[in-house]
């Protein structure tokens, strides 16, 4: 190709260094190499100091990646467990309501004059809403979960926030999903760190139902993102399927890029998914899944019931940014969304039956909304509400958990942080997986973990 | 089905001065070294420091991040040493060979959305670095003399041996001396160049670069207006809204609705077509980069009228020109103003959304040295920038006057009529701020080099950006003249849209409609129908043009895109394309993919197939694994369809790292 070089290029070819220059260059390079190495060492030290608070140094992190890849090369090629049974140690499902749930449209002090005056169109009506503990009421949209409420399997926490959360959707979403600021967490999601504590598992031990992986699962554990289990299937002539998968796996082996681990876990998932979807999925009698959130729960029910050993899963759903036409009461926009959510949850637990006994669902949003309504909705606020559901093996100590100090201590019109979000997250993990306080604390760097009494 | 991302729609920001952890801003403006950072202040044309306007209550300052400061400040302490081949400073083209070593240390995660993703990349590439065999001596480079042939052919996995005497242009010299990071992609310089500066290799493109030479090809690509693209443009003429003005699009709304034509969607579809079929590939790569960097989502109020024009009149207009002009033009375009609520900003109700993102995402970056007070001052200065009838308008009656100081930019801002010009001075100050240079360099290198580009490379690119007043071509040339670029073979992973586009290119799919196509849509040409299907597919894998809801743009690091579901969809889509799935396009038959007269021995056949599809020779092991798909030995006699396995083997090639990596 060199014969086609332009004139300017040819001109440059004239500068031809001599031996002496080469030797001088070599010396300069040696000096520079030493400097570079020193600099890299300093950077590594800085980085390790930074990450120590999370209990993950750069070195241990890299070892972790290696371990993940080794696991993929061995145990995870094993097909899914044949035994149908509850997942040992249970399952935690985190549902994120994107947009900022108006917590006061979900639960609120009963018959409150301040609410009637500040949000006349959005206050829970006098009759209809479901009484819960401490003179609070729950929106009637949650009627499908009345049985679980009566059974101590449904609880709410008001005024949940963290000082890190601004009123910007994605700043707050990011901090919620990472368990801190990006600078504090190194960009790893809090659920990905949690998975470190759960020991080895199968390909499906951590999954995000959706097109992309949520930030809470981003990190080192090769979590899977999938829309449906059945979609994990290679198309084309069946006779080429297995040889193709074998070739792909081998072609990625030793490629000197972490994509190898991602592809490995994807292929393992594909193999397992084929087994799990060999027979069409029939939910339990009386169960129908309708709508987006319900569809996601259906995929999780399939995985759990067919023994995929899901330990941590996420579902994301949007539409909670209700600046206009919020519709908190029957027939309204938000009411219908909450009805869909409650129905999906009720169906999910009904479908799981005994296998749902050790399944915990934790539902949160990036922030609450302002107490006072605007024209027809609410703007971004601070303290929000969280929803917790549990299988039969663990009951909540109350249907309304945590602190609530009323509307006298509003922060410029917003519910302040009565309960810390990461304390709630951590306390749920602690109860679900039997972690120590120190293990939970290491998931949330720069936050002083204070356990909350959630379970009876 | 379930979208785990944030909801659609614009985001809004708190405007009450509380809780500003978004912006730790460890470097205040006053902390800057004047010798380096004062330039913009002088350019701002403020003769003397005016009294500061009465500021609102001091915003809550977050505690400083633990540990030592991170980010650019660190690099400021230890500037990357560069050795210039020509040794006489910076020439007008910005072409120097810069020795920045191999894959660098993992960058520090930073407290911003986009930077956090870069941080994620750093984590991932940290893993890469750990896997790189020991013994690569970082920084061992010699420059000066002549390379016998700047194109390397696939060398050993350890990269090419250093050459003691190197000659040639800076890009070629850098390419020739670089020790390549081991990768399945080998060390071929032409293929590396093509995989980074285009949306994917084709046999004719590779032949073109080989015949022109690396340097001449880059030079030609840097002047896209001189590259004949008439074949594609003739097809794109079927998309009737592409070249319309905002006023025309408004006027034709009902007619377009009747034909179910959605202009913003047409723009997205045209973008995909250009990436596949345009000969101006480097230009399209840069357009894609800037659309991610200066991201404006298409799904905004009246996006149909303004999103396509934003791409045409702001992004494409300046994609290879200069950033200060692009930044000013963006801030005078209704698309950006609407996306980030600038048109809602009033004298008595200032909205700081765009002012904040101008700093955080579109210029200096979140750790670029601004404070909450700067955001508010900028929001004040930008008042008056508004929209009327979907067109940008400056409204003096809504401009708040009074002296402003934003970082080191000062302006008396004394008249309502002068607000627009004052804001322009501020935008230009920002665009040429050293933090902006570094932030753009970091993002550009993340796009073209690796998820964790070497810091010294980023420093060098940033330096050129400043020296050339934000001119993009010399900035690019510095990047391409660095060994860091040439070392990073195979360190990027194609994002979903890049994978789809590269697959179309590799298979040589033509936009011509075959006579056999059964056209049932009276309102859209077959070509447009096909583009709509492509765009629908990209929606399904969450990576369609301007589809990202939030202003940080799509992430450009692979860890953000790891999804088993998406990966398998892409593999299945590859087989669909091999089989000619979208019938409005023209395809080679599968039994033509290995050439008009394919080899009759299976091993030779598979090698010919790989040469045609991915322009690469196969390692023996790779060839044997692919033969395993067909279930035959290398010596086995095969027919033109590889005994019926050509589609399966071609798909396996596309599902391999040889096609996923770039």
């Amino acid at each position: 190709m060199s014969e086609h070089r332009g004139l300017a290029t040819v001109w440059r070819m004239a500068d031809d260094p001599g031996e002496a220059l080469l030797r001088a260059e070599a010396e300069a390079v040696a000096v520079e190499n030493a400097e570079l190495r020193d600099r890299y060492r300093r950077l590594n030290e800085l980085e390790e100091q930074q990450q120590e608070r999370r209990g993950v140094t750069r070195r241990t992190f890299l070892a972790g990646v290696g371990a993940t890849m080794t696991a993929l090369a061995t145990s995870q090629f094993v097909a899914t467990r044949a035994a149908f049974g509850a997942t040992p140690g249970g399952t935690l499902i985190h549902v994120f309501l994107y947009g900022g749930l108006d917590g006061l449209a979900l639960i609120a002090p009963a018959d409150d004059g301040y609410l009637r005056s500040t949000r006349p169109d959005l206050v829970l009506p006098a009759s209809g809403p479901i009484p819960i503990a401490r003179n609070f009421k729950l929106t009637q949209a949650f009627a499908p979960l009345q049985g679980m409420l009566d059974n101590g399997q449904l609880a709410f926490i008001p005024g949940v926030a963290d000082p890190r959360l601004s009123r910007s959707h994605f700043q707050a979403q990011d901090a919620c999903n990472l368990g801190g600021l990006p600078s504090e967490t190194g960009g790893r999601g809090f659920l990905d760190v949690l998975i470190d504590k759960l020991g080895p598992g199968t390909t499906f031990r951590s999954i995000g139902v959706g097109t992309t992986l949520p930030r809470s699962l981003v990190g080192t554990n090769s979590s899977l993102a999938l829309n449906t289990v059945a979609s994990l299937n290679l198309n084309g002539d069946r006779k080429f399927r297995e040889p193709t998968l074998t070739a792909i796996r081998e072609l990625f082996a030793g490629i000197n890029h972490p994509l190898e681990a991602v592809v490995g876990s994807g292929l393992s998932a594909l193999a397992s998914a084929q087994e799990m979807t060999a027979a069409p999925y029939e939910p339990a009698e009386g169960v129908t899944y309708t709508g987006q959130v319900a569809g996601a729960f259906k995929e999780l029910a399939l995985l759990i019931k067919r023994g995929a050993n899901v330990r941590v899963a996420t579902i994301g759903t949007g539409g909670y940014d209700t600046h206009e036409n919020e519709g908190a009461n029957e027939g309204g926009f938000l009411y219908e969304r909450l009805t869909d959510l409650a129905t999906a949850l009720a169906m999910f637990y009904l479908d799981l039956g005994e296998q749902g006994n050790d399944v915990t669902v934790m539902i949160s949003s990036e922030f609450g909304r302002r107490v006072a309504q605007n024209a027809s909705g609410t703007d971004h606020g601070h303290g929000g509400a969280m929803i917790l559901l549990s299988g039969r093996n663990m009951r909540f100590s109350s249907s309304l958990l945590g602190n609530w100090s009323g509307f006298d201590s509003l922060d410029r019109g917003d519910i302040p942080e009565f309960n810390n979000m990461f304390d709630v997250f951590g306390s749920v993990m602690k109860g679900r997986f039997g972690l120590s306080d120190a293990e939970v604390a290491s998931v949330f760097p720069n936050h002083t973990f204070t356990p909350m009494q959630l379970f009876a | 089905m379930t979208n785990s991302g944030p909801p659609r729609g614009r985001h809004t920001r708190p405007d009450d001065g509380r809780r500003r952890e978004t912006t730790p801003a460890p470097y205040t403006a006053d902390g800057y070294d004047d010798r380096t950072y004062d330039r913009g202040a002088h350019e701002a044309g403020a003769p003397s420091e005016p009294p500061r306007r009465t500021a609102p209550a001091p915003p809550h300052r977050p505690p400083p991040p633990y540990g030592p400061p991170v980010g650019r400040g660190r690099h400021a302490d230890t500037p990357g040493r560069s050795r210039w081949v020509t040794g006489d400073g910076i020439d007008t083209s910005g072409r120097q060979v810069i020795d920045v070593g191999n894959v660098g240390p993992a960058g520090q995660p930073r407290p911003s959305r986009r930077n956090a993703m870069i941080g994620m990349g750093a984590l991932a590439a940290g893993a890469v670095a750990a896997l790189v065999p020991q013994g690569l001596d970082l920084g061992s480079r010699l420059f000066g003399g002549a390379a016998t042939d700047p194109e390397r052919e696939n060398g050993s996995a350890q990269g090419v041996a250093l050459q003691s005497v190197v000659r040639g242009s800076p890009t070629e010299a850098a390419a020739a001396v670089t020790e390549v990071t081991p990768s399945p992609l080998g060390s071929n310089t032409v293929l590396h160049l093509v995989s980074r500066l285009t949306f994917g290799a084709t046999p004719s493109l590779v032949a073109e670069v080989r015949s022109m030479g690396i340097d001449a090809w880059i030079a030609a690509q840097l002047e896209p207006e001189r590259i004949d693209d008439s074949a594609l443009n003739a097809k794109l003429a079927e998309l009737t809204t592409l070249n319309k003005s905002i006023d025309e699009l408004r006027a034709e709304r009902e007619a377009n609705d009747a034909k179910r034509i959605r202009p913003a969607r047409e723009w997205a579809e045209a973008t995909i077509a250009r990436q596949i079929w345009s000969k101006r590939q480097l230009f399209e790569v840069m357009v894609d980069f800037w659309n991610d960097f200066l991201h404006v989502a298409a799904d905004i109020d009246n996006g149909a009228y303004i999103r396509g024009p934003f791409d045409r009149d702001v992004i494409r207009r300046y994609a290879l020109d200069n950033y200060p002009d692009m930044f000013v033009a963006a801030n005078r375009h209704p698309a950006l103003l609407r996306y980030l609520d600038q048109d809602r900003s009033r004298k008595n109700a200032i909205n700081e959304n765009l002012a904040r993102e101008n700093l955080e995402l579109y210029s200096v970056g979140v750790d670029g040295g601004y404070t909450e007070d700067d955001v508010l001052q900028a929001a004040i200065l930008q008042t008056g920038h508004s929209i009327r009838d979907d067109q940008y308008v400056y409204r003096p009656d809504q401009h708040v006057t009074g002296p402003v100081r934003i970082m080191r930019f000062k302006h008396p801002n004394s008249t309502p009529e002068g607000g627009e010009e004052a804001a322009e001075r501020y935008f230009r100050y920002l665009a040429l701020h050293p933090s902006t240079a570094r932030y753009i360099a970091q993002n550009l290198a993340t796009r073209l080099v690796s998820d964790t580009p070497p810091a010294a490379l980023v420093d060098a690119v940033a330096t050129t950006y400043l020296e050339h007043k934000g001119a993009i071509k010399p900035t690019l040339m510095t990047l391409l003249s660095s060994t860091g670029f040439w070392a990073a073979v195979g360190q990027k992973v194609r994002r979903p849209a890049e994978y789809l586009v590269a697959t179309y290119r590799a298979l040589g799919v033509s936009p011509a409609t075959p006579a056999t196509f059964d056209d049932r849509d009276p309102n859209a040409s077959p070509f447009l129908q096909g583009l709509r299907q492509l765009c629908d597919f990209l929606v399904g894998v969450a990576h369609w043009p301007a589809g990202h809801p939030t202003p940080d743009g799509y992430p450009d690091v692979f860890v953000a895109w790891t999804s088993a579901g998406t990966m398998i969809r892409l593999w299945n889509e590859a087989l669909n394309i091999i089989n000619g799935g979208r019938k409005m396009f023209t395809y080679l038959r599968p039994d033509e993919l290995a050439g008009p007269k394919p080899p009759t021995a299976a091993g030779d056949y598979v090698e010919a197939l790989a040469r045609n599809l991915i322009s690469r020779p196969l390692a023996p092991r790779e060839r044997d694994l692919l033969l395993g798909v067909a279930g035959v030995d290398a010596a086995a006699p095969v027919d033109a369809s590889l005994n019926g396995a050509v589609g399966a083997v071609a798909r396996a090639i596309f599902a391999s790292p040889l096609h996923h990596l770039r």
Side-chain angles (χ1 to χ4, degrees):
Chain A
M1 59 160 289
S2 47
E3 62 273 19
H4 292 289
R5 284 207 191 107
L7 206 60
T9 311
V10 174
W11 178 79
R12 283 171 194 279
M13 292 169 72
D15 86 30
D16 190 5
E19 275 293 313
L21 182 55
L22 277 176
R23 268 200 294 277
E25 285 277 288
E27 279 178 23
V29 166
V31 171
E32 184 163 297
N33 281 347
E35 287 178 1
L36 262 177
R37 275 193 294 272
D38 282 351
R39 191 168 153 217
Y40 286 9
R41 199 162 34 243
R42 281 198 303 276
L43 293 180
N44 275 331
E45 283 165 10
L46 288 182
E47 204 168 12
E48 289 185 7
Q49 284 168 16
Q50 269 230 313
Q51 297 192 356
E52 253 161 17
R53 298 201 179 212
R54 179 151 239 176
V56 183
T57 66
R58 185 176 159 73
R59 257 183 228 115
T60 55
F61 163 69
L62 292 174
V65 170
T68 306
M69 295 175 72
T70 310
L72 283 165
T74 54
S75 67
Q76 298 201 5
F77 289 170
V78 178
T80 44
R81 297 156 58 89
F84 283 18
T87 307
T91 304
L92 173 63
I93 297 167
H94 182 211
V95 180
F96 203 114
L97 308 180
Y98 287 95
L101 167 70
D102 182 11
L104 291 172
L106 178 77
I107 51 164
D111 306 320
D112 187 280
Y114 182 73
L115 289 179
R116 272 200 303 275
S117 64
T118 52
R119 48 164 58 208
D121 302 331
L122 302 175
V123 70
L124 295 176
S127 67
I130 302 159
I132 57 173
R134 290 155 70 182
N135 198 30
F136 265 61
K137 281 195 169 178
L138 164 66
T139 174
Q140 205 176 353
F142 264 48
L145 291 168
Q146 178 84 53
M148 290 187 77
L149 179 69
D150 296 342
N151 226 8
Q153 295 173 254
L154 172 64
F156 302 86
I157 306 172
V160 179
D162 183 89
R164 293 167 183 78
L165 305 179
S166 77
R167 283 154 185 74
S168 150
H169 284 299
F170 40 50
Q171 187 278 337
Q173 288 164 4
D174 232 29
C176 292
N177 277 323
L178 295 175
L181 298 175
S183 59
E184 296 171 327
T185 58
R188 280 187 77 187
F190 81 97
L191 292 175
D192 184 67
V193 183
L194 167 66
I195 294 158
D196 290 350
K197 325 283 178 198
L198 303 183
T202 67
T203 313
F204 286 97
R205 72 171 172 172
S206 54
I207 60 172
V209 185
T211 303
T212 55
L213 205 59
R215 291 297 298 276
S216 56
L217 282 172
V218 164
T220 64
N221 284 299
S222 293
S223 298
L224 288 176
L226 55 87
N227 277 317
T228 67
V229 183
S231 70
L232 295 181
N233 190 6
L234 204 63
N235 64 356
D237 192 334
R238 306 301 297 170
K239 75 179 175 192
F240 296 121
R241 190 173 164 276
E242 287 308 318
T244 298
L245 294 175
T246 303
I248 293 171
R249 189 189 301 280
E250 289 297 315
L251 284 164
F252 276 94
I255 61 165
N256 185 33
H257 194 288
L259 184 60
E260 178 180 357
V262 173
V263 171
S265 76
L267 289 170
S268 302
L270 188 145
S272 306
Q274 287 317 290
E275 293 194 15
M276 284 187 286
T277 55
Y281 181 67
E282 298 284 351
E285 193 174 343
V287 173
T288 51
Y289 290 104
T290 314
Q292 178 245 345
V293 185
F297 276 110
K298 179 184 175 187
E299 298 302 319
L300 291 180
L302 182 160
L303 288 169
I304 291 170
K305 286 172 75 178
R306 296 199 164 168
N309 265 308
V310 177
R311 306 301 308 279
V312 176
T314 64
I315 291 174
T317 178
Y320 289 87
D321 193 16
T322 50
H323 287 280
E324 297 170 340
N325 299 320
E326 176 168 319
N329 289 306
E330 201 164 347
F333 175 81
L334 180 59
Y335 186 92
E336 294 302 320
R337 289 203 79 77
L338 291 173
T339 304
D340 288 348
L341 177 65
T343 307
L345 287 162
M347 290 295 170
F348 177 60
Y349 274 100
L350 178 62
D351 192 8
L352 290 180
E354 291 290 303
Q355 285 170 289
N357 287 356
D358 287 309
V359 174
T360 299
V361 178
M362 173 170 93
I363 303 174
S364 66
S365 193
E366 65 262 40
F367 44 60
R369 308 191 76 83
R370 299 185 72 83
V371 176
Q373 70 180 68
N374 57 28
S376 60
T378 45
D379 294 320
H380 302 181
H382 192 52
M386 277 186 62
I387 308 164
L388 303 178
L389 294 97
S390 171
R392 287 168 183 275
N393 287 349
M394 288 169 73
R395 313 279 166 119
F396 296 108
S397 53
S398 167
S399 56
L400 191 83
L401 299 163
N403 298 318
W404 172 259
S405 305
F407 297 112
D408 296 336
S409 51
L410 287 188
D411 181 357
R412 303 190 204 186
D414 289 345
I415 294 176
E417 176 188 322
F418 289 137
N419 300 290
N420 183 271
M421 180 176 286
F422 302 137
D423 285 344
V424 180
F425 287 5
S427 301
V428 172
M429 292 174 185
K430 183 185 170 188
R432 176 66 277 153
F433 297 116
L435 303 180
S436 70
D437 287 356
E439 283 175 310
V440 172
S442 67
V443 176
F444 304 102
N446 269 22
H447 169 73
T448 307
F449 175 60
T450 309
M452 294 172 66
Q453 177 68 36
L454 303 179
F455 296 98
Chain B
M1 167 197 62
T2 304
N3 186 352
S4 55
R8 301 196 305 180
R10 282 163 294 169
H11 85 296
T12 54
R13 289 283 187 178
D15 52 7
D16 56 4
R18 300 171 53 216
R19 290 200 175 83
R20 300 302 194 203
E21 283 79 0
T22 22
T23 311
Y27 309 104
T28 61
D30 293 338
Y32 279 130
D33 179 344
D34 284 2
R35 286 166 302 174
T36 315
Y37 293 91
D38 220 16
R39 184 185 303 144
H42 295 310
E43 288 170 3
S48 62
E49 181 172 346
R52 289 200 80 157
R53 53 181 299 111
T54 307
H60 169 72
R61 285 280 170 79
Y66 57 77
V70 297
R72 52 157 299 284
R74 185 185 71 213
H75 304 299
D77 294 340
T78 52
R81 286 190 55 204
S82 300
R83 287 178 295 121
W84 312 101
V85 161
T86 48
D88 58 357
I90 293 174
D91 71 7
T92 50
S93 70
R95 296 179 178 193
Q96 284 84 29
V97 176
I98 298 149
D99 180 12
V100 295
N102 214 311
V103 174
Q108 293 288 342
R110 293 174 179 189
S112 99
R113 298 181 294 284
R114 184 143 57 197
N115 282 344
M117 282 301 189
I118 291 170
M120 289 158 55
L123 290 175
V128 178
L131 296 167
V132 173
Q134 295 302 304
L136 287 185
D137 192 5
L138 298 175
S140 301
R141 309 290 182 273
L142 293 174
F143 292 102
T148 48
D149 182 353
E151 180 182 3
R152 283 186 308 260
E153 282 306 331
N154 275 17
S156 71
Q158 296 299 317
V160 292
L162 297 185
Q163 298 172 47
S164 57
V165 181
V166 175
R167 265 190 208 157
S169 72
T171 49
E172 291 174 343
V177 300
T178 301
E179 195 169 346
V180 170
T181 309
S183 150
L185 301 195
S187 58
N188 184 297
T189 46
V190 166
L191 292 182
H192 178 57
L193 184 76
V194 166
S195 77
R196 299 305 175 90
L197 298 195
T198 79
F199 279 93
T202 67
S204 63
L205 176 61
V206 171
E208 179 187 310
V209 182
R210 287 205 167 110
S211 106
M212 291 176 75
I214 286 173
D215 234 33
W217 183 81
I218 293 171
Q221 286 288 315
L222 286 174
E223 296 187 40
E225 63 283 354
R226 301 176 70 170
I227 299 172
D228 176 27
D229 227 0
S230 52
L232 171 63
N233 288 332
K235 292 301 292 179
L236 287 176
E238 297 171 16
L239 281 62
T240 54
T241 62
L242 275 192
N243 297 318
K244 297 286 167 66
S245 69
I246 292 172
D247 286 343
E248 287 168 331
L249 290 169
R250 282 166 55 93
E252 293 165 13
R253 177 185 167 173
E254 288 186 7
N256 284 333
D257 282 352
K259 285 187 279 186
R260 290 186 293 131
I261 290 173
R262 296 156 61 199
R265 185 62 185 247
E266 266 196 4
W267 161 74
E269 289 150 0
T271 300
I272 301 166
R274 286 164 166 153
Q275 291 175 357
I276 297 174
W277 288 297
S278 175
K279 296 187 184 308
R280 302 165 181 173
Q281 282 285 303
L282 175 55
F283 179 65
E284 292 301 327
V285 165
M286 291 304 293
V287 165
D288 192 48
F289 168 78
W290 289 116
N291 267 316
D292 273 350
F293 185 86
L294 193 42
H295 169 60
V296 172
D299 186 18
I300 52 177
D301 289 347
N302 288 358
Y305 308 142
I306 55 184
R307 184 54 182 86
F310 178 79
D311 177 72
R312 182 185 62 212
D313 301 334
V314 177
I315 299 294
R316 286 175 183 274
R317 167 67 186 81
Y318 297 106
L320 284 174
D321 196 328
N322 76 92
Y323 187 65
D325 284 350
M326 184 192 293
F327 188 50
V328 171
N331 271 282
R332 289 182 180 171
H333 198 282
L336 181 64
L337 302 192
R338 176 150 297 145
Y339 180 42
L340 293 176
D341 299 324
Q342 185 64 39
D343 57 330
R344 296 180 183 201
S345 197
R346 296 281 179 279
K347 228 175 185 171
N348 56 0
I350 294 171
N351 187 304
E352 66 176 33
N353 210 359
L354 177 59
R356 177 184 300 279
E357 301 306 1
N358 270 337
L359 287 157
E360 181 179 328
L361 293 173
Y362 306 145
S363 66
V364 296
V366 73
D367 55 0
Y370 64 91
T371 65
E372 279 303 313
D373 207 18
D374 291 325
V375 173
L376 203 69
Q377 296 261 316
I380 288 167
L381 180 60
Q382 289 177 210
T383 51
H385 287 65
S386 191
I387 300 176
R388 183 180 296 138
D389 295 337
D390 294 307
Q391 295 277 13
Y392 164 73
V393 62
Y394 177 71
R395 296 179 55 180
D397 63 308
Q398 290 300 330
H399 182 70
V400 179
T401 55
V404 292
R405 176 179 167 151
I406 306 155
M407 301 173 81
R408 288 185 170 269
F409 173 83
K410 296 175 215 161
H411 198 283
N413 183 32
S414 45
T415 66
E417 291 72 24
E420 188 180 32
E421 195 204 330
E424 179 175 344
R425 283 174 181 270
Y426 161 65
F427 295 142
R428 291 187 184 280
Y429 161 83
L430 273 191
L432 290 177
H433 193 283
S435 296
T436 303
R438 189 164 169 87
Y439 189 52
I440 287 178
Q442 174 79 29
N443 278 277
L444 193 60
T446 301
R447 169 80 192 188
L448 296 176
V449 179
S450 87
D451 292 2
T452 50
L457 182 154
V458 174
D459 286 342
V461 172
T463 300
T464 302
Y465 175 93
L466 287 178
E467 294 281 350
H468 290 266
K469 305 282 184 209
I472 292 157
K473 289 178 189 178
T475 303
L476 262 176
M477 286 312 297
T478 294
L479 186 147
L480 297 175
S481 302
S482 75
T483 55
F485 170 78
W486 295 97
V489 173
Q491 296 305 304
K492 290 292 291 180
V493 179
R494 284 186 170 132
R495 297 181 289 176
E498 294 161 11
Y499 182 98
L500 179 80
V501 167
T503 308
Y504 264 82
R505 290 174 58 78
L507 284 163
V509 180
S510 150
T513 308
T516 51
F517 179 66
D518 179 15
D519 185 2
R520 298 178 180 189
D521 187 342
N523 290 321
S525 70
F527 174 62
L528 178 54
Q529 294 171 48
L531 296 182
R532 286 179 178 173
Q533 290 185 16
L534 286 176
C535 199
D536 285 343
F537 177 83
L538 292 182
V539 170
V541 293
H543 193 201
W544 72 106
H548 197 67
T550 51
D552 46 344
Y554 286 117
D556 201 2
V557 294
F558 104 94
V559 284
W561 295 96
T562 60
S563 159
T566 296
M567 193 172 67
I568 290 161
R569 276 180 92 153
L570 293 173
W571 295 348
N572 289 342
E573 182 63 15
L575 183 62
N576 291 340
I577 306 167
I578 290 164
N579 290 332
R582 297 197 174 86
K583 308 264 180 233
M584 63 291 288
F585 299 137
T586 304
Y587 303 79
L588 290 174
R589 291 194 316 275
D591 61 12
E592 295 171 320
L593 291 176
K597 285 185 182 167
T600 53
D604 297 341
Y605 188 108
V606 169
E607 283 177 1
L609 189 62
R611 266 198 310 277
N612 282 356
L613 295 183
I614 53 172
S615 299
R616 293 178 186 282
L618 295 172
R621 179 173 175 273
E622 292 163 345
R623 186 198 64 177
D624 292 345
L625 286 167
L626 291 166
L627 283 168
V629 174
V632 292
D633 294 332
V638 291
D639 65 14
S641 74
L642 192 59
N643 298 350
V646 58
V649 172
R651 190 260 291 280
I653 290 172
F654 288 134
S656 78
L658 301 172
H659 191 62
H660 272 285
L661 299 178
R662 68 174 176 92

